[in-house]
Amino acid sequence: MRSKLILGNWKMHFTVKQAVSFAGKLAAKPIPEGVTVGVIPHALALSEIATLLQKTGLKLGAQNAYFQDEGAFTGEISMPMLRGIAKYVLVGHSERRHIFHESNELIRHKVAAAVRSGIIPVLCIGETLVERQHYHTKQVLTDQLVSGIADLTSEEVAKIVVAYEPDWAISDGKSFAKHDVATPEDAQKSSDIIRSNISELYGQEVAKKVKVLYGGSANPDNAAAFLKCDGIDGLLPGGASLNMATFWPMVEIAATTVPTKINVKK
Ligand code: 13P
């Protein structure tokens, strides 16, 4: 059985001091068995938090990195620079795709670069509201996924994490009430799309091993419903990861929720 993974994407929040202080509080909590927990602060806080987290169970991820190893790329950090600091790196987050215009091609290079550096890419895929309204979800997820992992071997694909993050369900970090949230059926359907594509291209065993997370207004009120889907192995909350009162209950829910197969309409 795949273990559970809860990763808090802090996005562009917290000063370095605040980030380090919050990471310290989280690192002091006992992590329940069967759950891996990580935080993903902005790049400036990574190095100090990495030092703080040594010898603790809390994992660290980066929000972004470029695919070239080094060179004249002002403002970027590279995957080799993250080596020894971050275990995970987000790639293809919808905010990177839509605000910073990252293409499927760039994302494919970043996924491959992360793997080359021994960092686990968390490949984020998801459709926009317009794509959903036009029933293009399956095609969009397939395109983003298949293109994102195209340069990897099957052994490498088995070790990555894929996060289904529908663009229309992502909060502004302050409120989950202003927009729709995906249903567990949406999450299960997406996980089925992800695994069936991987199965077709890399085999069933690889498809079974890949971890699939749900992200998009995940919070303690809906965490259990998502974690009950047997295709969903964890959560990638944004807004709800910014404080202990909303983040840690999701870790506890992950430890106690037993997944069951839910049937969804194709
Ligand atoms: P919210 O949980 O704030 O909707 O953010 C989700 C997300 O984008 C995580 O990467």
Side-chain angles (χ1 to χ4, degrees):
M1 214 177 79
R2 297 177 300 266
S3 59
K4 291 281 186 292
L5 176 61
I6 307 289
L7 293 176
N9 176 8
W10 292 353
K11 305 194 180 184
M12 201 173 74
H13 292 285
F14 299 143
T15 61
V16 172
K17 205 171 159 193
Q18 287 167 335
V20 172
S21 156
F22 187 35
K25 286 184 188 140
L26 290 168
K29 303 278 284 181
I31 295 174
E33 212 174 303
V35 187
T36 302
V37 187
V39 292
I40 311 183
H42 59 72
L44 275 181
L46 279 173
S47 161
E48 202 171 331
I49 294 181
T51 308
L52 179 80
L53 297 189
Q54 276 171 7
K55 302 193 185 124
T56 78
L58 193 64
K59 308 293 182 213
L60 189 58
Q63 293 180 16
N64 181 39
Y66 197 49
F67 71 90
Q68 297 281 5
D69 288 354
E70 61 174 1
F73 303 103
T74 301
E76 295 295 314
I77 57 170
S78 74
M79 300 292 177
M81 289 171 189
L82 293 176
R83 210 183 275 148
I85 291 180
K87 181 178 168 79
Y88 302 96
V89 60
L90 297 182
V91 181
H93 192 280
S94 83
E95 285 144 22
R96 301 293 321 169
R97 290 178 190 268
H98 302 306
I99 304 173
F100 300 101
H101 310 294
E102 292 198 4
S103 65
N104 277 340
E105 190 188 5
L106 175 63
I107 290 161
R108 174 168 76 247
H109 293 324
K110 289 187 174 195
V111 167
V115 170
R116 257 196 334 265
S117 283
I119 295 161
I120 299 173
V122 179
L123 172 62
C124 303
I125 62 173
E127 80 285 11
T128 63
L129 184 58
V130 171
E131 288 163 343
R132 175 178 168 85
Q133 286 165 340
H134 288 85
Y135 304 99
H136 290 161
T137 300
K138 187 172 180 184
Q139 193 57 53
V140 171
L141 297 188
T142 299
D143 290 348
Q144 292 179 351
L145 173 76
V146 171
S147 158
I149 59 180
D151 291 343
L152 305 186
T153 64
S154 47
E155 290 76 28
E156 289 167 344
V157 172
K159 291 183 198 145
I160 71 163
V161 177
V162 180
Y164 171 55
E165 294 214 308
D167 182 59
W168 49 271
I170 293 178
S171 83
D172 60 5
K174 296 188 187 95
S175 158
F176 303 121
K178 285 193 209 140
H179 54 79
D180 287 340
V181 174
T183 61
E185 286 75 19
D186 291 321
Q188 180 67 53
K189 246 190 231 179
S190 307
S191 152
D192 291 347
I193 293 168
I194 292 163
R195 288 187 211 282
S196 71
N197 273 298
I198 293 179
S199 179
E200 216 168 280
L201 294 166
Y202 301 89
Q204 215 182 344
E205 281 314 300
V206 176
K208 271 194 214 155
K209 284 185 188 151
V210 167
K211 263 195 207 319
V212 177
L213 309 183
Y214 171 74
S217 299
N219 65 72
D221 294 334
N222 60 25
F226 287 115
L227 291 165
K228 259 191 204 145
C229 303
D230 78 341
I232 298 295
D233 307 307
L235 301 170
L236 181 56
S241 72
L242 296 174
N243 67 73
M244 188 68 86
T246 46
F247 184 61
W248 207 257
M250 289 188 275
V251 172
E252 285 164 348
I253 290 166
T256 52
T257 305
V258 180
T260 47
K261 180 83 194 154
I262 57 170
N263 290 317
V264 293
K265 279 196 224 121
K266 295 278 173 205

